[in-house]
Amino acid sequence: MIFTIANKEFRSLFATPSTWLILGALQFIFAWFFLARLDAYLQVQAQLAFVANAPGATMTIASPLFGTLALMLMMLIPLFTMRLLAEERRNQTLVFLLAAPVSSSQIVIGKFLSLLLFISLVIASCTLMLAILGFGTYLDFGLLLANALGLLLLTASYAALGLYLSALTKQPIVAALSATALSFGLWLIDIGGADNANALRALSPTAHAQSLNAGLIFSADIIYFTLFIATFLLLTIRRVNNNRLYA
Amino acid sequence: MTAPLTLSARNLCRRYGQRDVVQNVSLELGRGEVLGLLGHNGAGKSTTLQMLTGTLTPHSGKVEICGFNLQQQPDQAKACIGYLPETPPLYREMRVDDYLIFAAKLHRVPKSLLPGALDETKQRCGLQKSGRKIIGTLSKGYQQRVGIAQAIIHRPQVIVLDEPTVGLDPAQIREIRSLIRELGDAHSVILSTHLLSEVENVCDRVEIMQKGRLIYGDSSARMQQYGYQPGFVVTLLAPPPLDELQGIAGVENVEALSGTRFRIMHAMEANTSAVLLALAAERGWQAQQLTPLKGSIEDVYTQITENEPA
């Protein structure tokens, strides 16, 4: 059942031209940043050769690019989450799912999985683009994969957040705006807290993605992301269930 | 009732805020039966149907579908229902085939039976040529058909249709009514409507709803008698004086609607129309048209509500 719903949502995503447009634009912009980074690296490469323990190509090119991609996805993911439940309520198709022999959790998890698959495709294509660096230099695949994992967890958190906000309203655009605003706020908490010890920073998903960005996988970060995603999915399930109580 | 029960609801209640929308509604439905839920807008029909299909939780009461309790075994119970809400729940960007297959999968139709179920349903609903079309591009009538198709594709025991003929043209209404009749042979059907003619044509049994209560329930034929007024309108091209009509046995009241048309009310048991026609032939009144008076839904309501202490 979960996969039936996920499959349908995934196909619906690609049924709208705007998805293709956004994906194309994203690839283009990412490639642009990639070229700029590569260019900058080539200019300082000669000096780096004299530095002891100099950072490699992966560290100087790939890691910052993942940071950039994370910011872009933070703004783009609400565009994909906004429709998931808000539009179902607006078009009165949610009834179709509620009347079918599926539970609210199956509906929500199905929708979340479709989004996760979509995001993984985006991240995989960008990671592949970076992997072509391997033709010219030695590439630290461990660092690359840690970055990809970090980005996946980070964006999955945004997706769960967006899904919940989409469940709260009938207007997709309201869902999108509030999701962007909240993820933006969470990001500001991160960059606003100057010292590492700031307790508030622990709330921000981007702060937890930082060590993964540097290639360090801490279980605390993994647990944080899992909790973040689980919390919002549970809230969404509750919210969908409430549709049966107060229609 | 001899047929096995497919649906039974007991004492359903539902409030919105302080307002009681549905109070103590109990319904029973046997296999092969078509039940019409009749009522004005806002009488609580849709709310009742939502509670029967599990999309709305009742504040109290119990629903059983094919022996499964809707609250305790929702998955088994809901697999036995096909539901068409007031607005057909269509994903406008999907193709008809994809949508119907999605509906079938959600209702656990085994993969091997999918193509057969799809073809049969499309054939039944007249959608053979629309399979590849995108739902958003279909006309309202066809969208309604797709809505009905998604409700019957998994061959549910109970089919719940919320105002299935609203917004359709007369030809489509006739087609959909005959489809419902056909479905009623093998499945149980509940449909809500505010049209009396729909009930006459389609339903075996009627429940009338007013202000959230069921105020009357009987077979469809008997309900029409309830609204039946003994009388008819007759056109006589060469009419006699009113007194002469008044003098016919059984006639209680004659009213001239125009120079040639008369409304004649007569006693309940009297066979006045036959007497009048015989006289007309005999005396050369040139009878042309005789229309029995039919009770409108308003009349039925007034009669029924007059009897009910409100």
Side-chain angles (χ1 to χ4, degrees), chain A residues 139-196:
Chain A
L139 211 53
D140 184 349
F141 277 101
L143 180 58
L144 208 58
L145 288 179
N147 261 305
L149 174 70
L151 190 58
L152 183 67
L153 287 172
L154 181 63
T155 46
S157 316
Y158 291 143
L161 177 69
L163 188 60
Y164 173 57
L165 291 167
S166 175
L168 287 181
T169 168
K170 264 188 188 177
Q171 306 297 336
I173 205 74
V174 175
L177 283 178
S178 47
T180 317
L182 266 181
S183 13
F184 208 76
L186 285 170
W187 179 58
L188 283 182
I189 290 179
D190 175 33
I191 56 168
D195 59 304
N196 270 331

Side-chain angles (χ1 to χ4, degrees), chain B residues 153-294:
Chain B
I153 192 164
H154 52 291
R155 291 184 200 141
Q157 302 273 346
V158 182
I159 300 171
V160 179
L161 306 171
D162 199 347
E163 305 199 347
T165 56
V166 161
L168 300 183
D169 69 40
Q172 289 170 332
I173 290 184
R174 210 169 327 130
E175 278 173 39
I176 287 193
R177 281 184 188 162
S178 66
L179 174 65
I180 294 172
R181 230 0 314 165
E182 195 187 313
L183 291 171
D185 294 338
H187 314 255
S188 315
V189 181
I190 300 188
L191 62 94
S192 81
T193 177
H194 48 249
L195 304 174
L196 189 64
S197 63
E198 199 144 286
V199 169
E200 283 173 10
N201 291 329
V202 179
C203 302
D204 304 314
R205 211 150 56 80
V206 191
E207 297 278 355
I208 296 183
M209 220 172 166
Q210 200 187 36
K211 292 182 187 154
R213 292 169 199 273
L214 289 179
I215 54 172
Y216 176 82
D218 209 335
S219 76
S220 156
R222 246 187 300 172
M223 189 212 65
Q224 281 162 54
Q225 276 172 16
Y226 212 116
Y228 176 77
Q229 290 166 312
F232 50 85
V233 172
V234 68
T235 309
L236 301 170
L237 291 182
L242 274 187
D243 307 345
E244 204 172 332
L245 290 177
Q246 190 80 62
I248 298 171
V251 171
E252 286 176 349
N253 180 27
V254 179
E255 191 186 340
L257 299 173
S258 67
T260 52
R261 291 178 71 231
F262 302 90
R263 179 162 55 207
I264 297 177
M265 309 300 289
H266 58 80
M268 198 65 170
E269 296 79 21
N271 192 5
T272 315
S273 52
V275 178
L276 182 120
L277 284 180
L279 274 175
E282 196 184 306
R283 300 183 190 172
W285 294 343
Q286 296 186 39
Q288 205 173 44
Q289 201 179 17
L290 189 143
T291 327
L293 286 178
K294 253 189 187 173

Side-chain angles (χ1 to χ4, degrees), chain B residues 68-89:
Chain B
F68 297 111
N69 186 310
L70 190 58
Q71 264 91 49
Q72 280 147 23
Q73 300 157 290
D75 286 0
Q76 288 98 322
K78 284 197 224 160
C80 304
I81 315 180
Y83 176 40
L84 171 69
E86 229 168 336
T87 330

Side-chain angles (χ1 to χ4, degrees), chain A residues 1 88 92 98 101 244-245, chain B residues 14 57 78 87 91 108:
Chain A
M1 276 314 121
E88 297 249 16
Q92 312 197 3
L98 292 180
R244 298 180 215 260
L245 299 179
Chain B
R14 174 78 209 185
T57 315
K78 284 197 224 160
T87 330
Y91 294 102
R108 299 158 189 226

Side-chain angles (χ1 to χ4, degrees), chain B residues 13 20 41 43 49 66-67 76 79 90 96 98 116 135 151 164 168 176 192 215 246 281 286 293-294 297 303:
Chain B
C13 292
D20 288 310
N41 295 330
L49 295 187
C66 303
Q76 288 98 322
L90 305 174
V96 173
D98 294 342
I135 294 177
L168 300 183
I176 287 193
S192 81
I215 54 172
Q246 190 80 62
Q286 296 186 39
L293 286 178
K294 253 189 187 173
I297 185 166
Q303 291 207 23

Side-chain angles (χ1 to χ4, degrees), chain A residues 1 4-5 7-9 11-12 15-16 83 87-88 91-103 106 111 243-247, chain B residues 14 16 50 53-57 59 74-76 78-79 83 85 87-94 98-99 102-103 105-108 150:
Chain A
M1 276 314 121
T4 310
I5 295 175
N7 183 20
K8 182 247 147 197
E9 285 301 332
R11 281 156 170 266
S12 293
T16 44
R83 291 173 56 251
E87 197 162 83
E88 297 249 16
N91 294 344
Q92 312 197 3
T93 46
L94 193 59
V95 177
F96 177 68
L97 297 176
L98 292 180
V102 289
S103 63
Q106 284 171 323
K111 282 174 181 283
N243 272 298
R244 298 180 215 260
L245 299 179
Y246 329 95
Chain B
R14 174 78 209 185
Y16 285 131
Q50 281 172 5
T53 52
T55 54
L56 191 66
T57 315
H59 281 122
D75 286 0
Q76 288 98 322
K78 284 197 224 160
Y83 176 40
T87 330
L90 305 174
Y91 294 102
R92 301 174 57 84
E93 77 279 1
M94 286 178 97
D98 294 342
Y99 173 67
F102 177 54
K105 278 186 183 163
L106 271 191
H107 287 94
R108 299 158 189 226
Q150 63 81 20

